């Protein structure tokens, strides 16, 4: 994917927040499973359990605290329906923030409506940062849950999760973190963050599509009923009644996705082999470089300049539609994203209709940024052919 195209033209991939490319070892792991391990159910079950343990270890969790899910979106819906339906009552409050992706808004909006709970929104600052006080000042004895993104998919802002969790737990609320944009960039450790729910998708962290995990603190998982029926969800069945299987199996109906679980484990271990500190410092360098170069493009405004952020940078160029610029960049072999990135409330707060977004992974280079800026400065690429 990252090699030049067959005709020799470059391919510059700066859309990693949408999905990341896959290291060879991840692709090889999928091939190995299907080519030589996809035989006995017992063997596959063992490999699946091993993958769960390896993924758990990489985020500082216990294996029985991880539920395999198809996506972050699915994980948050599962919590809303299973936990939300059993723990929320009329008058209860759910706190979300002004930088959430729809995946962490829609389920809460729906479940609040169904249960009679109220949604409260902690606003962000002008630079895109989220202050712990913005959340803390909206907490009260009726707050049951704080749902917050670890990293904003538009602004790159890193939320102060550990501080938010401390404040939320003080009033007896649970904390759910949407980690979709964090895991490719940050060291994510359940002990250090001390949250109750943490969801992320493998495909945004160098792993396969169609799989993710939901971490749930063990004592919380015990209180959650299954969301869907079927074998594996029940331990014993008679028409008179069923007994639910123990978690996490209770939440994983049907045949397990063994290959992708192995691929996801391989991806997380690959990141650790590259070095999480090395990744962080390389990306910090690239973000500072990109911000500096982008500021030199006439009429370009950066959106999201919080001090603590990952290498995701949104911007607009006054007088030009983001989608037009995106298409022109794509023709020059530079992939970025344009739109509202499923974060409409955030765009209302920002007061812009849409934006461009470039998002970096550890395999990007300064040359990639140079190619982006050169394409933006190109009169055609900038859409300025007058
Ligand atoms: N949350 C955030 C912050 C995201 O960026 C995304 C994907 N853009 C999601 C949730 C949803 O992830 P998925 O599509 O893998 O469920």
């Amino acid at each position: 994917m990252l090699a030049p195209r067959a005709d020799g033209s470059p391919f510059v991939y700066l859309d990693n927040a949408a999905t990341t490319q896959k290291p060879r070892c991840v692709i090889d792991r999928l091939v190995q499973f299907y080519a030589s391990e996809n035989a006995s159910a017992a063997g596959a079950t063992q490999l699946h359990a091993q993958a769960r343990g390896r993924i758990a270890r990489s985020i500082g969790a216990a294996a029985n605290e991880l539920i395999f899910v198809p996506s972050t979106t699915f994980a948050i819906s599962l919590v809303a329906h299973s936990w939300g339906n059993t723990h929320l009552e009329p008058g209860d409050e759910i706190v979300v923030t002004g930088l959430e992706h729809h995946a962490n808004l829609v389920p809460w909006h729906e479940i609040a409506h169904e249960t009679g709970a109220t949604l409260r929104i902690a606003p962000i600052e002008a630079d895109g940062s989220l202050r712990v006080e913005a959340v803390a000042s909206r907490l009260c004895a009726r707050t049951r849950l704080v749902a917050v993104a670890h990293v904003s998919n538009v602004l790159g802002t890193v939320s102060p999760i550990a501080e938010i969790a401390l404040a939320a737990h003080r009033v007896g609320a649970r904390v759910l973190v949407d980690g979709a944009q964090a895991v490719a960039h940050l060291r994510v450790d359940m002990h250090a963050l001390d949250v109750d729910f943490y969801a992320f998708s493998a495909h945004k962290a160098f792993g396969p599509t169609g799989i993710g995990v939901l971490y749930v603190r063990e004592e919380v998982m015990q209180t959650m009923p299954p969301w869907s029926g079927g074998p594996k969800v029940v331990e014993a069945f008679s028409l008179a009644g069923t007994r639910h299987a123990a978690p996490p199996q209770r939440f994983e109906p049907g045949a397990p996705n063994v290959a992708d679980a192995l691929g996801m484990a391989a991806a997380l271990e690959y990141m650790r082999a590259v070095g999480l500190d090395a990744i962080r410092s390389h990306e910090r360098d690239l973000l500072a470089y990109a911000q500096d170069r982008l500021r030199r493009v006439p009429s370009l405004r950066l959106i999201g300049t919080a001090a603590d952020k990952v290498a995701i940078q949104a911007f607009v160029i006054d007088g030009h539609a983001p989608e037009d610029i995106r298409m022109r960049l794509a023709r020059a072999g530079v992939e970025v994203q344009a739109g509202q990135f499923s974060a409409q409330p955030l765009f209302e707060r920002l007061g812009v209709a849409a934006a461009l977004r470039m998002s970096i992974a550890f395999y990007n280079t300064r040359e990639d940024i140079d190619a982006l800026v050169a394409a933006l400065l190109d009169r055609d690429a900038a859409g300025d052919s007058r």
Side-chain angles (χ1 to χ4, degrees):
M1 281 302 301
L2 297 174
R5 306 281 88 149
D7 65 0
S9 60
F11 181 69
V12 174
Y13 190 71
L14 291 169
D15 193 17
N16 293 285
T19 198
T20 53
Q21 301 305 333
K22 319 306 173 197
R24 177 68 62 192
C25 65
V26 171
I27 299 169
D28 287 348
R29 191 65 195 85
L30 301 181
V31 172
Q32 184 189 328
F33 177 77
Y34 288 121
S36 56
E37 293 168 335
N38 183 32
S40 91
T45 303
Q46 207 176 0
L47 287 172
H48 193 243
Q50 279 170 13
R52 192 193 307 272
R54 287 161 55 198
I55 295 166
R57 212 170 307 127
S58 74
I59 60 165
N64 65 355
E65 294 177 308
L66 284 200
I67 301 168
F68 280 113
V69 288
S71 63
T72 305
T73 304
F74 187 98
I76 299 172
S77 279
L78 191 159
V79 178
H81 287 91
S82 170
W83 180 87
N85 259 330
T86 41
H87 292 79
L88 294 172
E89 291 177 0
D92 285 347
E93 297 188 358
I94 302 166
V95 176
V96 296
T97 84
L99 51 65
E100 300 308 313
H101 185 279
H102 293 171
N104 201 22
L105 286 175
V106 175
W108 303 120
H109 189 257
E110 282 176 4
I111 213 72
H113 184 72
E114 285 172 28
T115 60
T118 309
L119 214 53
R120 303 196 67 189
I121 301 188
I124 57 165
E125 305 302 305
D127 67 355
S129 58
L130 174 70
R131 292 170 60 234
V132 63
E133 294 77 18
V135 175
S137 63
R138 279 161 185 81
L139 298 172
C140 69
R142 294 310 305 263
T143 312
R144 292 288 168 268
L145 181 78
V146 176
V148 54
H150 197 170
V151 169
S152 158
N153 65 313
V154 179
L155 306 167
T157 303
V158 180
S159 303
I161 298 297
E163 291 85 346
I164 289 172
L166 201 63
H169 288 154
R170 232 178 258 139
V171 300
R174 298 292 181 192
V175 178
L176 175 137
V177 178
D178 170 354
Q181 294 295 346
V183 176
H185 306 284
L186 304 176
R187 187 182 301 280
V188 168
D189 183 273
M190 293 307 111
H191 283 299
L193 296 177
D194 197 28
V195 297
D196 302 289
F197 305 96
Y198 194 102
F200 64 100
S201 308
H203 76 100
K204 290 180 193 282
F206 317 107
T209 55
I211 192 167
V213 292
L214 169 66
Y215 159 86
V216 186
R217 189 193 293 278
E218 193 188 354
E219 76 206 48
V220 180
M221 209 192 287
Q222 296 291 348
T223 72
M224 292 167 58
W227 185 27
S228 53
K232 302 235 170 90
V233 170
V234 294
E235 187 177 83
F237 175 79
S238 78
L239 291 177
T242 55
R243 194 163 67 239
H244 294 142
Q249 277 73 24
R250 181 186 291 180
F251 303 101
E252 298 176 0
N257 181 353
V258 183
D260 291 323
L262 291 166
M264 183 174 191
L268 294 171
E269 286 165 5
Y270 178 84
M271 279 186 73
R272 276 141 190 86
V274 171
L276 294 173
D277 293 338
I279 288 173
R280 185 83 172 123
S281 84
H282 175 65
E283 291 186 6
R284 267 188 215 279
D285 172 73
L286 282 186
L287 177 65
Y289 184 77
Q291 287 180 330
D292 175 63
R293 295 300 144 124
L294 286 170
R295 283 191 172 106
R296 300 180 193 186
V297 176
S299 305
L300 187 149
R301 277 190 293 139
L302 298 182
I303 297 178
T305 51
D308 194 3
K309 61 176 276 176
V310 306
I312 294 174
Q313 187 62 58
F315 56 96
V316 290
I317 300 181
D318 291 331
H320 298 282
E323 179 58 18
D324 291 348
I325 298 177
R326 187 196 67 74
M327 286 190 298
R328 287 162 190 271
L329 291 173
R331 262 179 253 132
V334 178
E335 291 285 324
V336 299
Q337 202 51 258
Q340 292 193 332
F341 317 107
S342 303
Q344 277 176 18
L346 172 60
F347 274 80
E348 280 163 33
R349 161 74 175 85
L350 294 170
V352 294
L356 287 141
R357 177 188 70 187
M358 62 121 235
S359 49
I360 287 168
F362 66 81
Y363 41 64
N364 287 119
T365 61
R366 285 189 173 208
E367 286 70 33
D368 293 338
I369 309 295
D370 291 341
L372 166 67
V373 173
L376 286 170
L377 287 171
D378 185 291
R379 287 165 69 83
D380 283 339
D384 190 1
S385 49
R386 279 161 293 169

